Amino acid sequence: MNGTARSALGRVVVGVDGSPSAHTAVMWAAAEADLRGSTLCLVHAADTDAPVPFLSEAEIVRGRRAGRELLDRTAEAIAERYPELAVVEELSDGPAPGSLRRAAASTGTIVVGHRGLGGFSSLLLGSVGLEVAAGATTPVVVVRGAAESVEADAVLAAVRDEADVGCARAAAREALLRKMPLWLLHIWDVGRIIGARAASRNGGDGSARAHARVLSSVSDRLREEFPGLTVQAEGRKSHSVPGALVDASHHADLLVLGGRRSPGYLGPTLGRITLTLLQHAHCPVELLPRQGPGHGSAS
């Protein structure tokens, strides 16, 4: 079963810039690539393609040399911990978001760190991570939380509706690699429940039954597809869906959720829930782009 999970996951691509946040992301990415049995791609974006009239050619060369040395040092540090892991290095002259996307191609997973400057700013996602996540066409992991959480005992998948079965399936593969249970969590927005109850009194479906159908539909499919995996399905009522998911992330090794965007839409497309989790979760967050009808609404 682990072999099946490995074969469905692509290589891991991570940005290297010398910051503490990036270093944490690099080591997480190395561990992930090792679990997958895949290649780890280290990308340093020198961003020298844009016009830089205030930089001399010698300064540009020195910047590229420093980037190459940083990549080499990072690869050496990874080799000490994961000697069997295949590592490739890419020095790009372009900006970081585009460089990471090109390295990931159509099947890779991009890993970025959060901005760790201390104080309130440490809660905020940096500009590179934000741009990468907002424009993602492949999975993106924002590494948050402690390097190793003592409370983590499952891989958590946020289930909003039945279209999230693909997100839950990806979370199931991650759970198999980690030999952890899969925790499917569906949060009921109390404000929306009030309106649903009014509809129910007028002959519509009951809100509780509707939410139960979402969970049972997704969990039943996952149990059928992954018979060796422990699947825990839970529904909760809350006045704050993102707040409830942030609280649940205390107990997760990885939080997986599907993003919603309109195909071809230009500009930031991260919804309120997604952005809150990327900024405040207590564990790494994996965002999977959702495609198809109905996936363009903000969430």
Side-chain angles (χ1 to χ4, degrees), residues 60 116 181 214 245 261 270 274 287 292:
I60 292 175
V214 168
L245 288 169
R261 78 178 81 256
L270 295 177
T274 300
L287 176 64

Side-chain angles (χ1 to χ4, degrees), residues 6-252:
R6 286 186 171 198
S7 64
L9 297 168
R11 76 171 180 169
V12 180
V13 176
V14 62
V16 179
D17 65 10
S19 68
S21 176
H23 176 76
T24 300
V26 164
M27 299 316 295
W28 188 94
E32 176 71 11
D34 187 60
L35 282 174
R36 295 184 182 191
S38 65
T39 299
L40 175 65
C41 179
L42 306 177
V43 177
H44 176 76
D47 199 7
T48 55
D49 278 345
V52 281
F54 52 89
L55 288 181
S56 67
E57 182 64 27
E59 288 172 320
I60 292 175
V61 170
R62 283 197 296 270
R64 289 172 177 164
R65 183 183 302 117
R68 174 59 63 192
E69 292 173 352
L70 175 61
L71 286 170
D72 290 342
R73 290 196 305 272
T74 303
E76 290 172 3
I78 292 170
E80 291 180 3
R81 186 174 300 186
Y82 304 100
E84 303 300 321
L85 180 62
V87 179
V88 297
E89 304 173 22
E90 292 193 13
L91 179 62
S92 170
D93 291 330
S99 300
L100 290 167
R101 293 191 194 105
R102 284 191 295 274
S106 61
T107 60
T109 296
I110 300 173
V111 179
V112 295
H114 67 89
R115 186 173 60 187
L117 301 179
F120 180 75
S121 63
S122 67
L123 299 175
L124 303 179
L125 185 61
S127 58
V128 170
L130 185 62
E131 185 174 345
V132 169
T137 56
T138 60
V140 172
V141 177
V142 176
V143 178
R144 297 198 53 83
E148 295 181 3
S149 173
V150 296
E151 298 185 60
D153 54 13
V155 171
L156 172 60
V159 178
R160 288 171 288 204
D161 52 47
E162 294 180 15
D164 269 324
V165 67
C167 161
R169 186 178 292 115
R173 297 187 181 109
E174 295 284 4
L176 283 171
L177 291 180
R178 290 163 171 76
K179 299 180 180 179
M180 288 182 169
L182 172 64
W183 179 15
L184 304 177
L185 184 56
H186 176 65
I187 307 297
W188 303 10
D189 188 320
V190 174
R192 294 182 181 180
I193 288 174
I194 294 174
R197 283 175 178 166
S200 178
R201 286 195 295 270
N202 292 324
D205 285 339
S207 177
R209 285 178 292 171
H211 288 290
R213 281 198 299 271
V214 168
L215 267 178
S216 62
S217 173
V218 176
S219 60
D220 288 349
R221 288 186 63 175
L222 269 292
R223 290 187 178 103
E224 181 180 352
E225 292 181 26
F226 302 91
L229 177 65
T230 299
V231 179
Q232 304 166 349
E234 179 184 356
R236 295 183 186 176
K237 298 179 183 179
S238 177
H239 289 281
S240 171
V241 173
L245 288 169
V246 168
D247 183 63
S249 71
H250 272 294
H251 307 284

